[in-house]
Amino acid sequence: MPPFSVEALFSQAELASWLAVGLVAVAAAYLYGTHRLRLRGDSWPLSRTIVFLGPGLGSIALVTVSGFGAYDTTLISVHMVQHMVLSMVAPIFLALGAPITLALRTLPGRPRKALLSVLHSRVARILAFPLVSFGIFVVNPFVLYFSSLYELTLHNGFVHELMHAHFLATGCLFFWPLVGRDPLPGRWPYPARALLMVLSVPFHTVLGLTVMQSATLLGGDWYPSLHLPWVDPVADQVTAGGVLWAGGEIVSVAMLAVLVGQWIQQSRREAARIDRQLDRLEAAETPPLGSLA
Protein backbone atom coordinates (compact mmCIF):
# COMPACT_ATOMS: atom_id res chain seq x y z
CA MET A 1 0.00 0.00 0.00
CA PRO A 2 1.22 3.52 -0.74
CA PRO A 3 1.35 6.02 2.15
CA PHE A 4 -2.04 7.16 3.34
CA SER A 5 -2.97 10.54 1.85
CA VAL A 6 -5.91 12.57 0.60
CA GLU A 7 -5.24 11.26 -2.88
CA ALA A 8 -5.47 7.69 -1.59
CA LEU A 9 -9.03 8.38 -0.38
CA PHE A 10 -10.04 8.55 -4.04
CA SER A 11 -7.52 6.25 -5.73
CA GLN A 12 -8.17 3.37 -3.31
CA ALA A 13 -11.97 3.69 -3.29
CA GLU A 14 -14.05 0.56 -3.97
CA LEU A 15 -17.29 1.82 -5.47
CA ALA A 16 -18.25 -1.63 -6.79
CA SER A 17 -18.47 -3.23 -3.33
CA TRP A 18 -21.62 -4.75 -1.87
CA LEU A 19 -21.61 -2.09 0.83
CA ALA A 20 -21.81 0.71 -1.75
CA VAL A 21 -24.76 -1.05 -3.38
CA GLY A 22 -26.44 -1.38 0.03
CA LEU A 23 -25.99 2.30 0.85
CA VAL A 24 -27.46 3.31 -2.52
CA ALA A 25 -30.41 0.96 -1.94
CA VAL A 26 -31.13 2.43 1.51
CA ALA A 27 -30.91 5.97 0.14
CA ALA A 28 -33.25 5.06 -2.74
CA ALA A 29 -35.78 3.49 -0.35
CA TYR A 30 -35.73 6.61 1.85
CA LEU A 31 -36.23 8.94 -1.12
CA TYR A 32 -39.01 6.73 -2.46
CA GLY A 33 -40.78 7.01 0.89
CA THR A 34 -40.61 10.81 0.85
CA HIS A 35 -41.83 10.76 -2.77
CA ARG A 36 -44.89 8.69 -1.79
CA LEU A 37 -45.71 11.16 0.96
CA ARG A 38 -45.58 14.07 -1.48
CA LEU A 39 -47.80 12.25 -3.98
CA ARG A 40 -50.60 11.95 -1.43
CA GLY A 41 -50.17 15.55 -0.23
CA ASP A 42 -48.32 14.88 3.02
CA SER A 43 -45.23 16.80 4.06
CA TRP A 44 -41.87 15.52 5.22
CA PRO A 45 -39.22 17.85 6.68
CA LEU A 46 -36.39 18.43 4.23
CA SER A 47 -33.95 18.64 7.13
CA ARG A 48 -34.58 14.99 8.00
CA THR A 49 -33.81 13.91 4.44
CA ILE A 50 -30.62 15.97 4.38
CA VAL A 51 -29.22 14.63 7.67
CA PHE A 52 -30.12 11.02 6.83
CA LEU A 53 -28.57 11.02 3.36
CA GLY A 54 -25.70 13.45 3.97
CA PRO A 55 -23.88 12.99 7.28
CA GLY A 56 -25.83 9.78 7.98
CA LEU A 57 -25.29 7.48 4.99
CA GLY A 58 -22.57 9.75 3.62
CA SER A 59 -20.31 9.33 6.64
CA ILE A 60 -20.69 5.55 6.43
CA ALA A 61 -19.67 5.66 2.77
CA LEU A 62 -16.72 7.93 3.58
CA VAL A 63 -15.09 5.52 6.02
CA THR A 64 -15.94 2.24 4.27
CA VAL A 65 -16.19 2.71 0.50
CA SER A 66 -13.44 5.33 0.09
CA GLY A 67 -9.75 4.88 0.77
CA PHE A 68 -10.48 4.74 4.50
CA GLY A 69 -11.88 1.28 3.92
CA ALA A 70 -8.78 0.24 2.00
CA TYR A 71 -6.49 1.25 4.88
CA ASP A 72 -8.58 0.02 7.82
CA THR A 73 -6.42 -3.10 8.20
CA THR A 74 -3.19 -1.22 7.42
CA LEU A 75 -3.31 1.65 9.92
CA ILE A 76 -4.96 1.26 13.30
CA SER A 77 -5.43 5.04 13.42
CA VAL A 78 -7.57 4.83 10.27
CA HIS A 79 -9.50 1.98 11.85
CA MET A 80 -10.19 4.11 14.92
CA VAL A 81 -11.56 6.93 12.77
CA GLN A 82 -13.76 4.33 11.13
CA HIS A 83 -14.81 3.05 14.57
CA MET A 84 -15.77 6.53 15.79
CA VAL A 85 -17.77 7.40 12.67
CA LEU A 86 -19.66 4.11 12.51
CA SER A 87 -20.49 3.94 16.22
CA MET A 88 -20.94 7.63 17.16
CA VAL A 89 -21.34 9.94 14.16
CA ALA A 90 -23.47 8.08 11.61
CA PRO A 91 -26.01 6.70 14.15
CA ILE A 92 -26.83 10.20 15.42
CA PHE A 93 -27.71 11.52 11.98
CA LEU A 94 -29.53 8.33 10.98
CA ALA A 95 -31.68 8.70 14.10
CA LEU A 96 -32.40 12.36 13.33
CA GLY A 97 -33.59 11.28 9.88
CA ALA A 98 -36.48 9.31 11.49
CA PRO A 99 -36.52 6.42 8.97
CA ILE A 100 -38.84 4.30 11.13
CA THR A 101 -41.46 7.06 11.18
CA LEU A 102 -41.14 7.38 7.42
CA ALA A 103 -41.60 3.64 7.01
CA LEU A 104 -44.67 3.60 9.27
CA ARG A 105 -46.25 6.39 7.20
CA THR A 106 -45.58 4.80 3.81
CA LEU A 107 -45.59 1.00 4.20
CA PRO A 108 -48.77 -0.91 3.27
CA GLY A 109 -50.84 -2.82 5.82
CA ARG A 110 -49.02 -6.10 6.42
CA PRO A 111 -45.42 -4.82 6.38
CA ARG A 112 -46.49 -1.93 8.60
CA LYS A 113 -48.06 -4.32 11.11
CA ALA A 114 -44.88 -6.43 11.06
CA LEU A 115 -42.74 -3.38 11.80
CA LEU A 116 -45.04 -2.33 14.63
CA SER A 117 -44.91 -5.81 16.13
CA VAL A 118 -41.11 -5.65 16.10
CA LEU A 119 -41.09 -2.21 17.74
CA HIS A 120 -43.43 -3.39 20.50
CA SER A 121 -41.75 -6.77 21.03
CA ARG A 122 -40.06 -7.71 24.29
CA VAL A 123 -36.66 -7.88 22.58
CA ALA A 124 -37.03 -4.31 21.29
CA ARG A 125 -38.07 -3.06 24.73
CA ILE A 126 -35.03 -4.69 26.32
CA LEU A 127 -32.52 -3.50 23.72
CA ALA A 128 -33.98 0.02 23.59
CA PHE A 129 -33.86 0.39 27.36
CA PRO A 130 -31.18 3.07 27.87
CA LEU A 131 -29.19 1.27 30.55
CA VAL A 132 -28.98 -1.88 28.41
CA SER A 133 -27.89 -0.03 25.28
CA PHE A 134 -25.47 2.05 27.40
CA GLY A 135 -23.84 -1.09 28.78
CA ILE A 136 -23.48 -2.64 25.32
CA PHE A 137 -22.08 0.59 23.89
CA VAL A 138 -19.50 1.05 26.66
CA VAL A 139 -18.33 -2.53 27.20
CA ASN A 140 -18.02 -3.68 23.58
CA PRO A 141 -14.85 -1.71 22.65
CA PHE A 142 -12.97 -3.02 25.68
CA VAL A 143 -13.95 -6.60 24.83
CA LEU A 144 -12.98 -6.14 21.19
CA TYR A 145 -9.59 -4.48 21.58
CA PHE A 146 -8.29 -6.29 24.64
CA SER A 147 -9.07 -9.82 23.54
CA SER A 148 -8.23 -11.97 20.53
CA LEU A 149 -11.35 -10.76 18.70
CA TYR A 150 -9.66 -7.76 17.12
CA GLU A 151 -6.82 -9.87 15.73
CA LEU A 152 -9.43 -12.24 14.30
CA THR A 153 -11.08 -9.35 12.44
CA LEU A 154 -7.74 -8.55 10.79
CA HIS A 155 -7.24 -12.10 9.53
CA ASN A 156 -10.84 -12.85 8.52
CA GLY A 157 -12.55 -10.56 6.01
CA PHE A 158 -16.07 -11.74 6.86
CA VAL A 159 -15.57 -11.16 10.59
CA HIS A 160 -14.09 -7.78 9.74
CA GLU A 161 -17.28 -6.76 7.92
CA LEU A 162 -19.35 -8.08 10.83
CA MET A 163 -17.35 -5.79 13.11
CA HIS A 164 -18.38 -2.78 11.00
CA ALA A 165 -22.02 -3.80 11.17
CA HIS A 166 -21.62 -4.32 14.92
CA PHE A 167 -20.22 -0.82 15.41
CA LEU A 168 -23.15 0.69 13.53
CA ALA A 169 -25.74 -1.46 15.32
CA THR A 170 -24.46 -0.69 18.82
CA GLY A 171 -24.26 3.00 18.00
CA CYS A 172 -27.84 3.01 16.77
CA LEU A 173 -29.00 1.14 19.88
CA PHE A 174 -27.40 3.77 22.11
CA PHE A 175 -28.18 7.00 20.24
CA TRP A 176 -31.60 6.21 18.77
CA PRO A 177 -33.43 6.32 22.14
CA LEU A 178 -31.50 9.47 23.09
CA VAL A 179 -31.95 11.77 20.07
CA GLY A 180 -34.07 9.83 17.59
CA ARG A 181 -37.46 11.13 16.51
CA ASP A 182 -38.90 7.67 15.90
CA PRO A 183 -41.43 6.04 18.25
CA LEU A 184 -39.47 3.75 20.57
CA PRO A 185 -40.57 1.98 23.76
CA GLY A 186 -39.31 3.07 27.18
CA ARG A 187 -37.81 6.41 26.17
CA TRP A 188 -36.42 8.42 29.09
CA PRO A 189 -37.03 12.15 29.74
CA TYR A 190 -34.41 14.60 28.48
CA PRO A 191 -32.57 15.19 31.80
CA ALA A 192 -31.95 11.46 32.18
CA ARG A 193 -30.77 11.19 28.57
CA ALA A 194 -28.30 14.04 29.08
CA LEU A 195 -26.99 12.39 32.25
CA LEU A 196 -26.47 9.11 30.39
CA MET A 197 -24.52 10.93 27.69
CA VAL A 198 -22.31 12.59 30.31
CA LEU A 199 -21.63 9.20 31.93
CA SER A 200 -20.35 7.78 28.63
CA VAL A 201 -17.55 10.38 28.34
CA PRO A 202 -15.15 8.88 30.95
CA PHE A 203 -15.28 5.47 29.28
CA HIS A 204 -14.00 6.85 25.97
CA THR A 205 -11.28 8.73 27.83
CA VAL A 206 -10.19 5.59 29.68
CA LEU A 207 -10.27 3.52 26.50
CA GLY A 208 -8.26 6.08 24.54
CA LEU A 209 -5.64 6.49 27.26
CA THR A 210 -5.35 2.72 27.68
CA VAL A 211 -4.72 2.26 23.97
CA MET A 212 -2.18 5.09 23.94
CA GLN A 213 -0.24 3.76 26.93
CA SER A 214 -0.48 0.06 26.13
CA ALA A 215 2.89 -1.68 25.77
CA THR A 216 1.25 -4.36 23.61
CA LEU A 217 0.23 -3.70 20.04
CA LEU A 218 -3.42 -4.26 19.24
CA GLY A 219 -3.85 -7.04 16.73
CA GLY A 220 -0.73 -8.91 17.84
CA ASP A 221 1.99 -8.97 15.19
CA TRP A 222 -0.36 -8.05 12.34
CA TYR A 223 0.78 -4.46 11.82
CA PRO A 224 4.54 -5.10 12.18
CA SER A 225 4.24 -8.04 9.76
CA LEU A 226 3.08 -5.66 7.00
CA HIS A 227 6.64 -4.19 6.90
CA LEU A 228 5.50 -0.77 5.71
CA PRO A 229 8.49 1.60 5.71
CA TRP A 230 6.33 4.71 5.99
CA VAL A 231 4.54 3.87 9.27
CA ASP A 232 5.59 3.08 12.84
CA PRO A 233 2.97 0.74 14.36
CA VAL A 234 3.71 1.95 17.91
CA ALA A 235 3.32 5.62 17.03
CA ASP A 236 0.27 4.86 14.94
CA GLN A 237 -1.37 3.14 17.93
CA VAL A 238 -0.71 6.23 20.05
CA THR A 239 -2.47 8.28 17.38
CA ALA A 240 -5.35 5.80 17.39
CA GLY A 241 -5.79 6.20 21.14
CA GLY A 242 -5.82 9.96 20.73
CA VAL A 243 -8.56 9.62 18.12
CA LEU A 244 -10.67 7.63 20.58
CA TRP A 245 -10.06 10.09 23.40
CA ALA A 246 -10.59 13.35 21.54
CA GLY A 247 -13.25 12.02 19.18
CA GLY A 248 -15.36 10.64 22.02
CA GLU A 249 -15.33 13.93 23.89
CA ILE A 250 -16.09 16.03 20.80
CA VAL A 251 -19.04 13.84 19.77
CA SER A 252 -20.34 13.72 23.35
CA VAL A 253 -20.33 17.52 23.66
CA ALA A 254 -22.09 17.86 20.29
CA MET A 255 -24.58 15.23 21.39
CA LEU A 256 -25.33 17.15 24.58
CA ALA A 257 -25.97 20.26 22.49
CA VAL A 258 -28.46 18.32 20.35
CA LEU A 259 -30.21 16.97 23.44
CA VAL A 260 -30.48 20.43 25.00
CA GLY A 261 -31.88 21.83 21.75
CA GLN A 262 -34.49 19.07 21.56
CA TRP A 263 -35.34 19.60 25.22
CA ILE A 264 -35.95 23.32 24.64
CA GLN A 265 -38.12 22.60 21.60
CA GLN A 266 -40.19 20.08 23.55
CA SER A 267 -40.63 22.57 26.40
CA ARG A 268 -41.85 25.24 23.98
CA ARG A 269 -44.30 22.85 22.33
CA GLU A 270 -45.60 21.75 25.72
CA ALA A 271 -46.00 25.38 26.85
CA ALA A 272 -47.87 26.23 23.65
CA ARG A 273 -50.14 23.20 24.14
CA ILE A 274 -50.95 24.23 27.71
CA ASP A 275 -51.68 27.80 26.57
CA ARG A 276 -54.11 26.55 23.94
CA GLN A 277 -55.82 24.32 26.49
CA LEU A 278 -56.17 27.20 28.96
CA ASP A 279 -57.58 29.43 26.20
CA ARG A 280 -60.20 26.81 25.37
CA LEU A 281 -61.18 26.44 29.02
CA GLU A 282 -61.42 30.20 29.44
CA ALA A 283 -63.55 30.52 26.33
CA ALA A 284 -65.85 27.74 27.54
CA GLU A 285 -66.33 29.36 30.97
CA THR A 286 -66.96 32.90 29.66
CA PRO A 287 -70.65 33.45 28.81
CA PRO A 288 -71.43 35.18 25.49
CA LEU A 289 -72.29 38.92 25.52
CA GLY A 290 -75.92 38.32 24.51
CA SER A 291 -76.66 36.19 27.56
CA LEU A 292 -75.16 38.84 29.82
CA ALA A 293 -77.48 41.48 28.32
Side-chain angles (χ1 to χ4, degrees):
M1 296 288 290
F4 183 73
S5 63
V6 176
E7 180 184 355
L9 293 178
F10 301 95
S11 62
Q12 301 294 327
E14 297 181 3
L15 300 179
S17 65
W18 65 270
L19 182 57
V21 175
L23 291 173
V24 172
V26 172
Y30 191 94
L31 290 174
Y32 177 69
T34 60
H35 175 67
R36 287 195 59 184
L37 287 179
R38 286 195 300 269
L39 286 180
R40 69 187 190 197
D42 293 338
S43 61
W44 183 257
L46 179 62
S47 59
R48 295 186 182 183
T49 304
I50 292 175
V51 297
F52 185 85
L53 299 180
L57 296 181
S59 63
I60 298 174
L62 175 64
V63 297
T64 55
V65 179
S66 72
F68 269 105
Y71 283 85
D72 63 354
T73 57
T74 304
L75 294 171
I76 191 172
S77 57
V78 170
H79 164 79
M80 287 304 178
V81 173
Q82 198 179 56
H83 174 174
M84 297 300 296
V85 171
L86 291 177
S87 63
M88 295 192 71
V89 177
I92 294 174
F93 292 104
L94 294 178
L96 293 175
I100 296 177
T101 301
L102 180 62
L104 291 175
R105 293 180 62 182
T106 55
L107 286 175
R110 183 171 296 179
R112 186 177 184 275
K113 290 181 180 179
L115 179 58
L116 284 173
S117 64
V118 171
L119 291 175
H120 293 94
S121 64
R122 179 176 298 179
V123 175
R125 288 197 299 269
I126 293 174
L127 292 178
F129 186 66
L131 287 180
V132 174
S133 59
F134 174 78
I136 296 173
F137 181 76
V138 167
V139 172
N140 272 350
F142 289 92
V143 175
L144 173 66
Y145 293 122
F146 301 107
S147 69
S148 59
L149 285 176
Y150 182 64
E151 187 174 1
L152 177 62
T153 66
L154 296 172
H155 290 274
N156 190 304
F158 178 72
V159 178
H160 189 76
E161 296 300 328
L162 283 181
M163 177 185 63
H164 293 163
H166 180 73
F167 283 153
L168 188 61
T170 54
C172 288
L173 279 177
F174 179 63
F175 287 108
W176 224 290
L178 297 183
V179 297
R181 297 187 174 100
D182 290 316
L184 294 175
R187 178 164 283 169
W188 282 6
Y190 280 102
R193 300 186 211 177
L195 176 61
L196 200 63
M197 195 67 238
V198 171
L199 292 177
S200 70
V201 175
F203 290 96
H204 287 98
T205 303
V206 171
L207 178 61
L209 290 175
T210 304
V211 171
M212 293 176 69
Q213 298 173 0
S214 176
T216 304
L217 286 176
L218 301 184
D221 61 348
W222 171 267
Y223 294 105
S225 69
L226 298 179
H227 301 295
L228 297 174
W230 47 269
V231 60
D232 178 9
V234 176
D236 190 52
Q237 179 163 310
V238 173
T239 303
V243 169
L244 277 174
W245 181 10
E249 292 192 358
I250 292 172
V251 174
S252 297
V253 171
M255 178 71 179
L256 284 173
V258 172
L259 281 173
V260 170
Q262 290 183 343
W263 189 2
I264 293 173
Q265 290 180 356
Q266 185 196 46
S267 299
R268 289 175 177 174
R269 288 194 298 266
E270 183 66 16
R273 185 189 65 82
I274 294 175
D275 288 341
R276 290 194 299 269
Q277 184 178 4
L278 292 175
D279 291 340
R280 289 194 297 268
L281 292 174
E282 184 179 356
E285 294 175 356
T286 303
L289 295 177
S291 63
L292 290 177

